[in-house]
Amino acid sequence: MLLITTLVVAVSIIYYNSNIERINLQYKSLMQEFASLQIKRLKWLHNHYPKYNKYPRDDRYNSAIYDLEHDLIFSTLKSNKINFNKKLYFSDGYAIYVEILSDYYLGAKYLFIEVPKNGSLIAKVYKNIAIYGISALIILYLLGYYLAKLFIKPMKDSIELLDCFIKDTTHEINTPISIINSNIEMLKKDNLSQRDLKKINRIKIASRTLENIYKDLKFSMLENIDKATKDKFNLKDLIIERVEYFAMHMESKRITKELDLKDFIVEGNRELFARMVDNILSNAIKYNKVGGKINIILREKELIIEDSGVGIDKKSIAEIFNRYSRFNDSEGGFGIGLSIVKKIADFYKLDIKVESKINEGTRFIIRW
Amino acid sequence: MVRRVLFIIFLTQFLKADFTTDCVACHIQKRVDLRKTFMNALLVYGGENNFKTALFYYCKNPQPMTSVMSEEFLKKHLPLTPIQIDDMQLKKDIDEYWKRYKIKENLK
């Protein structure tokens, strides 16, 4: 839009300047003729002065003569503005042409010729700029819109395809996840060897990761945030619960956690807040180093979750909340987790801030 | 008594040097039109100050190259001789000459 407007404005300026130049040339050529005529008359008067002393006048133009010291000798000009440095200028509705005389007839070095400015010439230029400029703008906007639509279509199609795929698969993965989870819980762990127990734990972690992805997809594709119920709960309890849920994930990467939690009663949908904490926490685990650290601080109206992970570069921070945006390809995922966090934060009018340093870690700060 | 009066009249006329006595008399004698000389000088020197400065310099150092008169005139009047009038008086005479044909005031 801006490019098209700039283009049309630039063309209009070029058109305007070229027309102004053309109009000036028209004035110049006309006034040069008047100047030649006036010089002839001045010459005659010079030769017959003081017997004749009537300054030559003409209905078609006004004129004035100035000596080389810029002193006025005689003037019939209507305009008050005198400019010795310009060949042609406009003042008080008049075009004024300045001719420098080589022979100082009557002592005059400068001859000013003045004609009324023809407003219709410039009005025509403005009219043309308005008509053609607006027409060009409309045509180019329509063309731009059509082309943009044409170029964006493949991208839009692929996003729609991805959405459809996710919607379809989301319906199908819930049952298998539930079966895996319930069967793992039903297993009698006392009868299992240490080696098998380890394997079961890995299956449990994988299943929970899958469960988390399922919840995100379900929230993202199928649930309406506006219809969420309103609960009153202690956020501290929720965080402890969610940390417990991810405990196995943390253990698998030998991540240590430090919790500094104070009671904070929140009004809102508990499940939505769980989604928000889960996504930040799962990222903090996923992108953390082996043997890394996660700190969670909860104070009145402030929640901070920080990790010692790979960090996000400054450029990517602005985009991390965009849907399907993934700031690191080292780990899997759809790139919808943080867009869910943002959506929930926006819904509850929470201020969410991200601070990050490459290879040092990332800090999410949520304020009420 | 009459001789004394005539002597006083002659003396006052001699002391009263002006444009008429300094310039006009000689121009009439040499048949050089004052108007034409003025207009020729004006055509070349234009503005009042420039005109007066140029004319003063010419009167003191007349040269065919700096003269505004025609070749024909110069042939007749060569060699040109500097005017023997003191600077103050010459300046006054030139002012008088300018006033005589002042274009600014006379154009209608």
Side-chain angles (χ1 to χ4, degrees):
Chain A
M1 288 282 262
L2 187 72
L3 188 73
I4 291 170
T5 313
T6 314
L7 190 75
V8 171
V9 169
V11 171
S12 301
I13 290 170
I14 293 167
Y15 174 77
Y16 175 81
N17 285 340
S18 67
N19 273 280
I20 288 293
E21 219 166 279
R22 185 179 57 80
I23 291 168
N24 285 354
L25 273 174
Q26 279 179 7
Y27 274 119
K28 251 186 196 173
S29 118
L30 174 76
M31 291 162 94
Q32 264 169 352
E33 277 178 36
F34 292 156
S36 305
L37 185 65
Q38 189 68 4
I39 290 168
K40 272 182 199 166
R41 291 169 176 177
L42 289 173
K43 186 180 176 183
W44 185 89
L45 187 60
H46 183 92
N47 293 332
H48 295 84
Y49 181 85
K51 192 178 172 189
Y52 295 95
N53 66 344
K54 195 167 185 324
Y55 181 80
R57 289 166 172 82
D58 196 301
D59 290 340
R60 293 169 293 176
Y61 60 87
N62 303 317
S63 69
I65 47 174
Y66 282 77
D67 67 18
L68 52 77
E69 288 147 15
H70 293 183
D71 281 339
L72 174 69
I73 299 169
F74 197 86
S75 173
T76 62
L77 297 185
K78 298 276 188 284
S79 166
N80 295 320
K81 196 182 166 193
I82 292 297
N83 191 335
F84 291 92
N85 302 320
K86 282 187 176 170
K87 195 79 182 156
L88 179 75
Y89 64 94
F90 298 91
S91 168
D92 307 328
Y94 289 96
I96 299 157
Y97 175 76
V98 187
E99 179 78 45
I100 295 174
L101 309 183
S102 51
D103 290 324
Y104 303 156
Y105 298 119
L106 301 170
K109 183 179 179 182
Y110 301 96
L111 168 65
F112 288 76
I113 299 289
E114 177 191 80
V115 294
K117 205 171 153 187
N118 188 351
S120 65
L121 290 174
I122 195 75
K124 201 178 166 191
V125 175
Y126 286 134
K127 196 176 149 192
N128 284 345
I129 288 175
I131 293 171
Y132 296 119
I134 291 168
S135 308
L137 263 180
I138 293 168
I139 292 166
L140 287 172
Y141 279 149
L142 290 174
L143 191 72
Y145 178 72
Y146 173 75
L147 287 174
K149 226 177 150 186
L150 204 72
F151 290 129
I152 288 170
K153 200 176 178 294
M155 210 192 296
K156 211 176 155 190
D157 286 349
S158 64
I159 289 174
E160 266 171 22
L161 194 71
L162 186 60
D163 277 356
C164 282
F165 170 75
I166 292 169
K167 263 182 199 171
D168 293 345
T169 47
T170 304
H171 280 295
E172 304 302 325
I173 59 172
N174 186 27
T175 319
I177 292 169
S178 306
I179 292 168
I180 295 166
N181 280 342
S182 55
N183 279 286
I184 289 169
E185 295 303 327
M186 281 190 295
L187 271 173
K188 287 181 180 169
K189 284 157 190 147
D190 299 341
N191 300 338
L192 294 171
S193 67
Q194 199 63 28
R195 216 173 148 188
D196 289 340
L197 203 61
K198 243 182 179 178
K199 282 175 187 166
I200 290 294
N201 274 343
R202 277 189 211 132
I203 294 169
K204 210 171 175 181
I205 289 169
S207 160
R208 283 195 173 177
T209 306
L210 206 57
E211 190 182 13
N212 215 27
I213 291 170
Y214 164 74
K215 281 178 180 172
D216 277 350
L217 293 175
K218 192 176 158 220
F219 174 84
S220 180
M221 301 293 168
L222 308 171
E223 280 182 3
N224 189 348
I225 195 167
D226 297 323
K227 289 179 182 167
T229 55
K230 210 174 184 184
D231 314 315
K232 207 171 185 181
F233 60 94
N234 193 337
L235 190 59
K236 180 185 169 183
D237 297 339
L238 176 76
I239 290 167
I240 292 168
E241 180 193 304
R242 299 325 295 164
V243 168
E244 191 59 37
Y245 178 81
F246 284 105
M248 251 192 282
H249 287 74
M250 291 192 213
E251 272 169 33
S252 70
K253 282 183 93 171
R254 294 197 303 277
I255 293 169
T256 54
K257 59 181 186 290
E258 202 170 287
L259 307 182
D260 176 9
L261 308 174
K262 291 198 168 59
D263 290 321
F264 177 40
I265 306 299
V266 171
E267 268 189 52
N269 186 281
R270 199 175 192 277
E271 185 53 33
L272 290 184
F273 276 89
R275 287 289 75 233
M276 194 159 70
V277 173
D278 278 9
N279 273 303
I280 299 173
L281 213 50
S282 76
N283 275 346
I285 298 165
K286 207 196 284 184
Y287 298 107
N288 215 326
K289 297 164 196 161
V290 174
K293 203 176 169 187
I294 292 175
N295 292 335
I296 305 175
I297 302 157
L298 176 66
R299 299 186 198 112
E300 180 79 17
K301 294 190 173 181
E302 187 179 63
L303 170 64
I304 300 169
I305 300 175
E306 58 187 7
D307 64 64
S308 58
V310 290
I312 312 159
D313 62 86
K314 268 187 185 172
K315 231 178 167 184
S316 307
I317 284 181
E319 292 167 14
I320 58 166
F321 292 117
N322 293 345
R323 200 174 182 185
Y324 303 128
S325 151
R326 295 179 59 241
F327 52 89
N328 194 319
D329 290 329
S330 64
E331 301 291 333
F334 289 100
I336 57 170
L338 290 179
S339 79
I340 291 171
V341 171
K342 182 80 171 95
K343 198 173 170 185
I344 297 168
D346 286 347
F347 181 68
Y348 287 113
K349 294 186 175 64
L350 308 179
D351 176 42
I352 184 158
K353 203 176 156 195
V354 184
E355 294 169 355
S356 189
K357 270 188 185 169
I358 292 286
N359 293 329
E360 283 188 25
T362 305
R363 179 186 292 139
F364 281 81
I365 305 162
I366 299 168
R367 291 192 179 100
W368 273 255
Chain B
M1 178 68 184
V2 175
R3 283 178 73 184
R4 196 174 285 174
V5 171
L6 281 172
F7 177 74
I8 290 165
I9 291 169
F10 174 78
L11 196 67
T12 48
Q13 282 298 310
F14 180 78
L15 290 172
K16 201 185 130 195
D18 64 4
F19 178 66
T20 314
T21 52
D22 290 343
C23 312
V24 178
C26 191
H27 269 257
I28 290 171
Q29 189 200 334
K30 289 186 176 180
R31 292 185 179 178
V32 181
D33 185 4
L34 269 166
R35 187 205 77 89
K36 197 164 186 188
T37 319
F38 180 89
M39 296 313 278
N40 280 0
L42 190 65
L43 196 67
V44 177
Y45 298 115
E48 184 179 347
N49 292 328
N50 200 38
F51 175 93
K52 288 178 177 174
T53 313
L55 194 55
F56 180 84
Y57 180 78
Y58 177 76
C59 289
K60 292 286 175 187
N61 310 282
Q63 299 284 330
M65 251 174 72
T66 53
S67 173
V68 294
M69 300 310 286
S70 65
E71 292 285 329
E72 215 174 296
F73 170 87
L74 291 171
K75 271 181 200 168
K76 274 186 197 173
H77 293 87
L78 280 173
L80 298 166
T81 48
I83 288 172
Q84 298 301 323
I85 303 171
D86 76 89
D87 290 1
M88 282 292 286
Q89 185 55 43
L90 183 58
K91 277 180 186 170
K92 275 184 193 169
D93 292 341
I94 292 171
D95 285 346
E96 191 61 35
Y97 190 32
W98 178 264
K99 270 183 204 161
R100 182 178 268 222
Y101 297 103
K102 52 186 177 187
I103 289 176
K104 243 189 230 183
E105 286 77 2
N106 290 339
L107 278 181
K108 285 172 187 169

